[in-house]
Amino acid sequence: MRLLNIVSSPRGARSASIAIADAFLDAYGKASVSLETDTLNVWEEDLPEFDSQAISVKYKGVSKEPMDSHELSIWVRIQSLVKRFQEADRIVLGVPMWNFGYPYKLKQLIDLVSQRNMLFTFDGEAYGPMLKIPRALVIHVRGQSHDKGAGAGSPGFKHQADYIDFWLRFIGVDEIKSITVEHTWDAKAPETIERAKAQARAMALAF
């Protein structure tokens, strides 16, 4: 069993999403003796910039055009990131909310690995997933509340999760489980984080 643990918070030991993911991984590791965890921290990985050159490389890769040595080095780095998804049996992804969205480094990773004929297919008419991953766990962490007092209609609470779910299904994840944790920057934070850790540990038993 190989699990890809995607870390998108740069806060280390102060991160609620990392703490909850670690609680899940600890419980899941005890339940699955053969577990191998591959941690992909978007802040520590040498992610290529998804700039004009990387986009050019992408089109050359799809059309199998020749590349110069620098372009090839970018393509190899992209392929190595893609391979980590291709080798995964499960995915765990912690997503803190930034300005009603997700950290830009996570989007950079998504843009790099979402390559035609690597994570998805396109025949000119329809898209298809290339991975066969039974399930993923997404941990959504938000500093404010979703209750009426904080304004449940505020932007971001739904579209953030919808996009991540869409992307995971697009590349081939069958079932997406989620934990939503709010009040992580006020007096309720210790209570809500501990409650989320307990939920994560319980979910690990049937993951």
Side-chain angles (χ1 to χ4, degrees), residues 23-170:
F24 175 89
L25 293 170
D26 181 63
Y28 193 52
K30 291 174 180 176
S32 178
V33 293
S34 62
L35 180 66
E36 291 182 42
T37 301
D38 174 18
T39 297
L40 197 169
N41 187 320
V42 297
W43 298 94
E44 296 176 358
E45 290 289 330
D46 182 20
L47 299 179
E49 291 297 323
F50 200 63
D51 52 17
S52 61
Q53 190 164 42
I55 293 173
S56 176
V57 166
K58 168 182 177 173
Y59 286 117
K60 284 187 175 183
V62 169
S63 59
K64 303 189 184 313
E65 295 179 35
M67 303 179 190
D68 62 32
S69 59
H70 182 64
E71 290 173 330
L72 186 59
S73 70
I74 295 173
W75 191 237
V76 167
R77 286 159 69 194
I78 289 173
Q79 288 177 314
S80 69
L81 290 167
V82 170
K83 186 178 180 182
R84 294 166 76 170
F85 284 82
Q86 293 171 334
E87 293 179 342
D89 300 300
R90 302 285 190 278
I91 293 176
V92 171
L93 171 57
V95 188
M97 178 176 280
W98 284 18
N99 296 309
F100 303 107
Y102 25 79
Y104 67 91
K105 280 286 184 182
L106 175 58
K107 186 58 167 61
Q108 183 179 353
L109 174 68
I110 291 171
D111 288 337
L112 288 167
V113 300
S114 299
Q115 301 289 344
R116 183 178 176 182
N117 298 327
M118 290 188 180
L119 293 190
F120 70 92
T121 60
F122 181 64
D123 62 8
E125 295 184 3
Y127 292 94
M130 291 194 71
L131 301 184
K132 294 181 179 179
I133 297 178
R135 63 188 60 91
L137 170 64
V138 185
I139 301 163
H140 297 283
V141 173
R142 300 158 183 176
Q144 58 209 86
S145 170
H146 195 198
D147 59 37
K148 291 182 180 179
S154 296
F157 288 116
K158 188 171 186 300
H159 86 81
Q160 180 207 44
D162 285 349
Y163 174 75
I164 297 298
D165 284 4
F166 163 80
W167 173 66
L168 288 170
R169 294 187 193 283
F170 176 73

Side-chain angles (χ1 to χ4, degrees), residues 5-16:
N5 174 36
I6 303 173
V7 176
S8 68
S9 171
R11 301 188 71 231
R14 296 175 297 169
S15 166

